[in-house]
Amino acid sequence: MKVLLLALGLLASWGSASLGDVSYVEEVTSIAKGQKGSQKKTVNRVYIKGRNQKVRSTIEADKKTAQVLEKQGQSLESSTILRLGEASVYKIDHVSRTFVEDELPAAKPVATGKDVRGDAGGPEIQFRVKEMSDTTRIEGILCQRVAADMRSHYYDPTTKKLKKTNRYLYQAWVARDFPGYKEIREFQVQQARQTSYPSLISGSLEQLRGRVEDFEALGDKIEVLEGFPMQSVLKVYVRRAGKEEKQIFQLTRTVNSLSRAFLHPSEFYAAKGFQKVKN
C-alpha cells in the first residue's frame, strides 16, 4: 500500500503520463540604447516535465557589463526551477554553488476594472495587435507573424498636459501546432492558475496582463498573440513633451533548437554538493 501511495504521489508531482517532456534553447539579446557596455546575450536552456520547469541561464557580456551584473548580485550562470506540485521555487547560483528555496506566491485575482488609467495617476494605455498573413518556418516549424503596439501616455495631474509617452513595438513569429507545444502551453496554464510568480517562458506579451486597458476583454485580438514565439523583437521608445522620440531599449529572442527527449527527474533538483542558503 505504501508503494502504491508513493507512486500516486510521484504521478501527481510529475504530471500526466500523457504529456511528454520538452526542452529548447533560446538566445536573448538585450541592448540599452545610448549606454556603453550595455549589451548582453543570455542563453537559456529550458526544460519542462509535467508540472516542473527549469531554466538554466548563461549570460555573455563584456567585462564592464559583467562587473555591473555581479555588483547587482546577478550570477552569470544560474538556474531557476519551478515545482508546481510542491508550490516551490529554487534559485541556483552555479558560480557560488549555492541555492535558495522559496514558496511560490499564490495567484492574484484577475483584474476586471475597465478604467483606462488604472491606478490613480497611472498612465493611459493604448493597445493594438494584428496578425499578419505571411508565414515562415523556423527550425522546421510553421510560424505566423504577429505584431503589437502599446503606448503609455503620462499626464501632469494638475495641468492634464501630456508629459511623456512610452511606446512598445513587438513583432514575433508564433507557432501553435508542433510537437511539444501542448506541454509548454499546459505548464503555462497551470502556473497562471496556481501562482503569481512571473513566467519563465519568454518572448510573449503576457507580462502586460493587468496593465493594458480591457486586457481580459480583448477576446480574439489577444488570441492572435497566443502561441509559442520562435522569434521575437521588442523595441521600447520614449518621447517627452517638446522632444523627439528616442529608442531606449531592444530585446531580441530566437529559439535555436527544440527537443522531445526524455528528461530525468533529477534535472529539477539542485545538484549534489550545492549549499542551501537563506534568501
Side-chain angles (χ1 to χ4, degrees):
M1 178 61 73
K2 290 183 179 180
V3 174
L4 176 59
L5 291 175
L6 177 60
L8 291 174
L10 288 173
L11 283 174
S13 174
W14 294 105
S16 170
S18 62
L19 294 177
D21 301 343
V22 60
S23 60
Y24 59 90
V25 179
E26 64 179 17
E27 290 187 2
V28 181
T29 302
S30 61
I31 304 174
K33 300 290 185 177
Q35 300 180 24
K36 294 183 178 180
S38 58
Q39 177 173 333
K40 69 175 182 178
K41 182 175 76 171
T42 303
V43 178
N44 294 322
R45 293 169 175 82
V46 184
Y47 309 89
I48 296 175
K49 186 182 186 72
R51 303 182 67 197
N52 300 272
Q53 180 188 41
K54 174 182 177 179
V55 178
R56 178 159 181 163
S57 301
T58 303
I59 298 176
E60 301 175 6
D62 56 67
K63 185 177 181 180
K64 182 178 179 180
T65 303
Q67 291 175 343
V68 171
L69 293 173
E70 290 174 353
K71 288 181 179 179
Q72 294 175 345
Q74 185 172 354
S75 176
L76 299 182
E77 187 78 29
S78 63
S79 291
T80 301
I81 299 174
L82 301 184
R83 295 170 58 85
L84 300 183
E86 300 175 1
S88 59
V89 54
Y90 295 79
K91 299 178 181 179
I92 303 170
D93 186 335
H94 294 277
V95 178
S96 64
R97 297 179 64 81
T98 59
F99 72 94
V100 174
E101 179 183 359
D102 285 324
E103 292 184 2
L104 286 172
K108 295 179 180 179
V110 177
T112 58
K114 295 186 178 181
D115 183 3
V116 68
R117 298 242 175 172
D119 297 334
E124 175 185 316
I125 302 295
Q126 294 179 342
F127 183 68
R128 297 182 300 168
V129 61
K130 183 178 181 181
E131 180 172 320
M132 311 299 186
S133 60
D134 45 333
T135 60
T136 190
R137 287 189 178 274
I138 300 173
E139 295 295 322
I141 298 173
L142 182 65
C143 304
Q144 188 157 12
R145 188 159 64 101
V146 299
D149 184 327
M150 189 189 85
R151 303 183 187 216
S152 303
H153 302 291
Y154 293 83
Y155 292 88
D156 187 296
T158 303
T159 65
K160 308 302 180 182
K161 291 184 178 180
L162 182 64
K163 296 193 305 180
K164 180 182 72 170
T165 296
N166 291 340
R167 184 163 66 99
Y168 306 84
L169 291 181
Y170 172 83
Q171 286 200 46
W173 290 101
V174 174
R176 304 184 182 94
D177 184 17
F178 61 91
Y181 176 64
K182 180 179 179 181
E183 285 79 2
I184 295 172
R185 182 58 182 161
E186 179 64 21
F187 185 87
Q188 288 179 301
V189 170
Q190 290 188 27
Q191 180 182 344
R193 288 175 178 170
Q194 180 176 337
T195 177
S196 60
Y197 195 87
S199 174
L200 301 180
I201 298 177
S202 62
S204 72
L205 287 179
E206 181 64 23
Q207 63 266 28
L208 299 180
R209 183 178 295 275
R211 297 187 57 195
V212 177
E213 177 190 10
D214 296 335
F215 190 94
E216 300 295 338
L218 287 175
D220 58 343
K221 291 184 178 181
I222 289 300
E223 288 179 3
V224 171
L225 289 179
E226 288 188 356
F228 182 69
M230 293 293 291
Q231 287 184 359
S232 64
V233 179
L234 175 64
K235 298 180 180 180
V236 182
Y237 300 82
V238 63
R239 181 177 183 178
R240 301 184 183 277
K243 296 185 179 181
E244 294 183 356
E245 182 181 71
K246 292 184 178 180
Q247 183 179 353
I248 61 172
F249 184 74
Q250 179 170 311
L251 189 69
T252 303
R253 171 184 174 276
T254 302
V255 174
N256 292 328
S257 65
L258 193 146
S259 172
R260 297 297 309 283
F262 171 77
L263 299 174
H264 196 277
S266 62
E267 189 71 58
F268 301 89
Y269 290 90
K272 290 183 178 180
F274 279 56
Q275 181 181 1
K276 184 176 181 179
V277 297
K278 293 184 178 180
N279 194 356

